[in-house]
Amino acid sequence: MNQKVKDFLRSFLINLPLIIGAIIMLAPLLWMLSTALKPNSFVASTSIIPKEITFENFIKAWEFPRVFNPDVTMGTFILNSLFVTIVITVFGIIIDSMAGYVLARKRFPGRNLFLYTALATMMVPFYVTLVPEYLIVVKFGWINTYIVQIVPFLASGMGIYLFRNHFMSIPIELEECAKIDGASDLRIYTSIMLPIAKPVVATMAIFKGMWSWNQYIWPLVTINKIELKPIQLGLTMFKGLNVTQWGYLCAAMTIAILPLIILFISMQRHFIGDLTAGSVKG
């Protein structure tokens, strides 16, 4: 056995657990795509390879919500989720980065308390605060509005903490030079600090995009109007009390995950750079 074969076998055996793990992780996605390409059925198939390929499920799934409301399609749910996701991601990153910058560079009474309070929000399960938050938004009259899907999720303890740590790693001499040139704190934040924090921005864009796009429990509690429902609630319409439209459901789920795939692909370079930044000593 020559050396190349030995190296190949050694590499294969080392990577075998990763290959098995990848197959296990991809199996549900492959089954979903396979079922979406098969003729619609009320019985879930266990086969991954479709015997007959059809794209009719995607067309039917897009029009299926008209059964409940003639003016609603899958596009309505997707637009609702896109609007909520974009607003939360953009404004959430601005709020988190501003808070992180203040905590990293400014000294004021209660700074550490504010930081620990922000971190504490990461340790409290969402279901613990569900009822109090619902009572608050009812008092504000936000039920069945876009506001109720956006405002409670704008700021996040994780985002504040990541931005704060990143800004603390930036040499303060950069800001001092900018201040000598007459730059204000806002100018320093927008022109120096935020551009340097691109890896954190990309990371939080992915996380906030995923959290916002996958919202289910909160819209289920606060949104009753079908025309305001996000995509995750829209998917439940394909599952009835006694039967499930498996072909339509899997086609709709395939459509629903495409924006997240596009988001990750567009941000993966900065995202991976942020994860590996601390592993190389520079």
Side-chain angles (χ1 to χ4, degrees), residues 56-222:
E56 184 181 5
N57 289 334
F58 293 91
I59 301 174
K60 295 291 186 180
W62 189 269
E63 297 291 333
F64 187 77
R66 292 189 187 274
V67 175
F68 304 92
N69 188 318
D71 299 325
V72 175
T73 65
M74 278 285 296
T76 305
F77 304 140
I78 292 175
L79 288 177
N80 290 338
S81 288
L82 277 176
F83 175 73
V84 171
T85 299
I86 291 173
V87 173
I88 290 178
T89 301
V90 173
F91 287 94
I93 288 175
I94 293 173
I95 293 172
D96 290 349
S97 59
M98 282 186 170
Y101 176 61
V102 170
L103 291 173
R105 289 294 191 249
K106 304 299 179 182
R107 296 189 177 276
F108 56 90
R111 184 180 70 163
N112 291 334
L113 178 61
F114 183 89
L115 175 62
Y116 296 146
T117 303
L119 292 176
T121 60
M122 301 169 56
M123 307 174 191
V124 180
F126 171 71
Y127 305 100
V128 174
T129 61
L130 179 61
V131 174
E133 288 184 10
Y134 176 78
L135 295 177
I136 291 173
V137 297
V138 168
K139 290 289 185 181
F140 288 165
W142 289 354
I143 298 298
N144 288 319
T145 63
Y146 287 116
I147 296 176
V148 77
Q149 302 182 63
I150 295 173
V151 172
F153 304 99
L154 284 177
S156 67
M158 179 180 180
I160 293 173
Y161 180 73
L162 288 179
F163 276 108
R164 180 245 185 195
N165 284 0
H166 187 81
F167 289 145
M168 288 186 69
S169 67
I170 298 173
I172 198 171
E173 287 78 12
L174 289 176
E175 298 174 65
E176 292 175 347
C177 292
K179 288 181 179 179
I180 292 174
D181 292 336
S184 63
D185 288 337
L186 183 60
R187 180 63 183 274
I188 293 172
Y189 162 77
T190 55
S191 301
I192 299 177
M193 305 299 284
L194 199 57
I196 294 177
K198 281 184 179 179
V200 184
V201 171
T203 301
M204 289 311 302
I206 292 175
F207 284 147
K208 283 183 176 289
M210 291 177 59
W211 294 336
S212 306
W213 188 264
N214 291 327
Q215 281 190 49
Y216 177 76
I217 296 297
W218 183 247
L220 180 66
V221 173
T222 57

